[in-house]
Amino acid sequence: MMTTHLIGPLDRFRVLDLTRIRSGPTCVKQFADWGADVIKIEPPDDASGYADRDSSDFQNLHRNKRSLTLDLKSADGRDILMRLVDKSDVLVENFRPDVKKRLGLDWDSLHARNPKLVLGSISGFGQTGPYAERPGFDQVAQGMGGLMSVTGLPGQGPVRVGIPVADLTAGMFCATGILMALLDRERTGVGQWVQSSLLQAQVAMLDFQAARWLIDGVVPEQAGNNHPTAVPMGVYPTSDGSMNIAVTGNRMWQDFCTVIDRTDLADDARFATARLRLQHRDELNALLFDITRTRTSADLTDALIATGIPCGPINKIDAVFADPQVAALGLVVEIEHPKRGTQRVLGQPIVLSGATPVMHSATPDAGQHSDAILQELGLSTDEVAALKERKVV
């Protein structure tokens, strides 16, 4: 019988988590936070390769799970895993294709065992194709997927984004796919194999930059803090720092000129349309920089917001979490950890009118719930002890 800790929209599902590093845990976190019974399968004897389970990164990724240690190289370990597969709705893994085949965790084997199971697979480059067996890494995907070519100042050379965007989006895409497969299973009674990869996710996230090439035949270049296709939009200096300003459309451009007390610019033939402003970007920005430098960030922000022009500060991370709007959105939640005490972790950026994610438990120690999970499978205390003696658990 499934043990749950939270009544939530996903509390009827059991998810087996065989993922590691970041993309897979990002996927599984969506299920753990919304009530699913997530069982994290880990090697015994702390052989998982994690240097510090109490680190802030690990704690943020693996909350709300139960941990079962299993030696999947042993027949007994694989047998226990298959018994869990029989009673589960989802299994998520990010092994290379050859590894999961060797462990019997390939789609054909799992689907034959439990036709209702949804398998979520995240890889570096996809399950097929010439790169399928390659190991994946976020920065490699950022480079191969084009992101580093459009990030940074013009002529600077390739620049990585400051977050593991390929890992994170691959995890989110996979979670979305799993949810769709679970919905479809309600109609068909059959699970599906959901696949995503770092490269697929990164290419998909190119969005309008990809469209510029696919539709317009333009190869985007680095634009720095300027928006690639809109002016004025980007970082503007102020007397006490800098801020982001986003002016879109001719009407907003006219309002902006009024705010900065330069209505003459609205009538200037060089800047009369969005296309002309883009053509004269450097000339226009040079004029605007001299103007915005005479205003404080707060003063200019207030004036622009009053006119309906999007703008905002450029915060360091500490300032982000000091922002009253961030606090109002509930993006930080507290959770009790047996060693670290009360710690703050990132909450969910999704709001549902009928449910709230609850941080019911901190990231578990390896094997913290092994006894309970094995007993749920019907194993006796003696059988569990024997498995531990053989280092299967």
Side-chain angles (χ1 to χ4, degrees):
M1 180 177 179
M2 185 169 73
T3 299
T4 58
H5 304 271
L6 167 69
I7 296 175
L10 302 181
D11 67 348
R12 63 190 183 277
F13 299 116
R14 168 174 278 175
V15 178
L16 302 180
D17 177 11
L18 279 83
T19 70
R20 60 193 307 272
I21 312 301
R22 188 172 311 280
S23 59
T26 296
C27 169
V28 176
K29 183 169 68 171
Q30 312 316 310
F31 295 88
D33 285 0
W34 291 101
D37 178 32
V38 175
I39 300 176
K40 180 172 174 56
I41 309 294
E42 307 185 70
D45 300 326
D46 197 28
S48 60
Y50 295 114
D52 183 5
R53 294 182 68 91
D54 292 336
S55 69
S56 57
D57 186 25
F58 195 86
Q59 289 296 311
N60 189 60
L61 278 173
H62 297 285
R63 73 281 185 104
N64 293 338
K65 300 178 182 179
R66 299 194 290 164
S67 173
L68 167 66
T69 52
L70 278 181
D71 178 9
L72 296 182
K73 296 178 182 179
S74 72
D76 287 339
R78 290 193 298 273
D79 177 67
I80 291 170
L81 178 59
M82 289 303 111
R83 292 172 65 178
L84 283 169
V85 164
D86 293 340
K87 298 176 178 292
S88 297
D89 301 281
V90 179
L91 186 150
V92 187
E93 56 83 21
N94 55 356
F95 296 117
R96 292 203 309 269
D98 59 323
V99 175
K100 63 171 159 278
K101 180 72 174 177
R102 192 163 63 245
L103 293 174
L105 297 174
D106 58 286
W107 168 243
D108 289 340
S109 299
L110 291 173
H111 188 60
R113 175 94 189 197
N114 179 359
K116 292 185 176 181
L117 184 77
V118 174
L119 172 62
S121 295
I122 305 175
S123 60
F125 300 97
Q127 303 296 318
T128 59
Y131 303 159
E133 300 294 338
R134 288 189 185 184
F137 190 76
D138 176 83
Q139 188 163 334
V140 174
Q142 286 193 31
M144 293 179 69
L147 182 60
M148 293 175 67
S149 75
V150 295
T151 303
L153 300 172
Q156 182 180 5
V159 178
R160 68 178 290 274
V161 174
I163 60 170
V165 62
D167 274 338
L168 298 175
T169 52
M172 294 301 296
F173 284 140
C174 189
T176 301
I178 291 170
L179 289 170
M180 288 192 289
L182 289 171
L183 284 171
D184 192 59
R185 191 182 70 174
E186 294 180 358
R187 179 174 59 88
T188 66
V190 179
Q192 295 188 45
W193 186 12
V194 178
Q195 305 171 33
S196 188
S197 70
L198 274 60
L199 184 60
Q200 286 169 287
Q202 184 57 80
V203 172
M205 290 300 289
L206 290 177
D207 194 60
F208 78 96
Q209 295 283 43
R212 292 175 71 191
W213 162 248
L214 294 172
I215 297 174
D216 300 330
V218 173
V219 178
E221 303 289 343
Q222 290 170 306
N225 290 319
N226 292 320
H227 189 278
T229 60
V231 185
M233 188 178 297
V235 175
Y236 290 83
T238 62
S239 62
D240 56 355
S242 57
M243 61 183 292
N244 279 313
I245 299 174
V247 177
T248 59
N250 286 334
R251 182 169 184 175
M252 192 177 290
W253 165 241
Q254 293 170 359
D255 291 341
F256 177 71
C257 291
T258 300
V259 170
I260 62 174
D261 198 23
R262 287 296 302 271
T263 54
D264 59 301
L265 293 178
D267 299 324
D268 193 309
R270 296 169 296 174
F271 315 131
T273 67
R275 186 179 296 275
L276 287 170
R277 289 192 291 277
L278 183 61
Q279 291 175 2
H280 297 279
R281 182 206 301 275
D282 292 342
E283 190 176 356
L284 176 56
N285 274 340
L287 290 169
L288 296 179
F289 287 173
D290 287 341
I291 297 168
T292 59
R293 281 193 185 99
T294 67
R295 308 278 290 268
T296 67
S297 296
D299 168 57
L300 188 52
T301 296
D302 289 345
L304 292 172
I305 292 298
T307 316
I309 296 174
C311 63
I314 300 171
N315 291 329
K316 291 188 176 181
I317 302 299
D318 56 347
V320 170
F321 293 104
D323 190 296
Q325 184 63 27
V326 172
L329 292 171
L331 287 167
V332 178
V333 293
E334 292 185 345
I335 194 167
E336 293 300 319
H337 188 277
K339 299 175 185 175
R340 299 184 59 137
T342 301
Q343 58 181 4
R344 299 191 302 165
V345 296
L346 282 171
Q348 281 286 337
I350 301 168
V351 177
L352 297 182
S353 61
T356 303
V358 176
M359 299 298 130
H360 57 74
S361 60
T363 294
D365 290 335
Q368 181 176 329
H369 305 95
S370 293
D371 288 13
I373 294 168
L374 293 172
Q375 288 167 9
E376 290 168 17
L377 286 176
L379 276 70
S380 68
T381 303
D382 289 342
E383 288 173 316
V384 172
L387 290 170
K388 289 182 178 180
E389 179 69 24
R390 300 198 305 275
K391 299 188 181 303
V392 175
V393 174

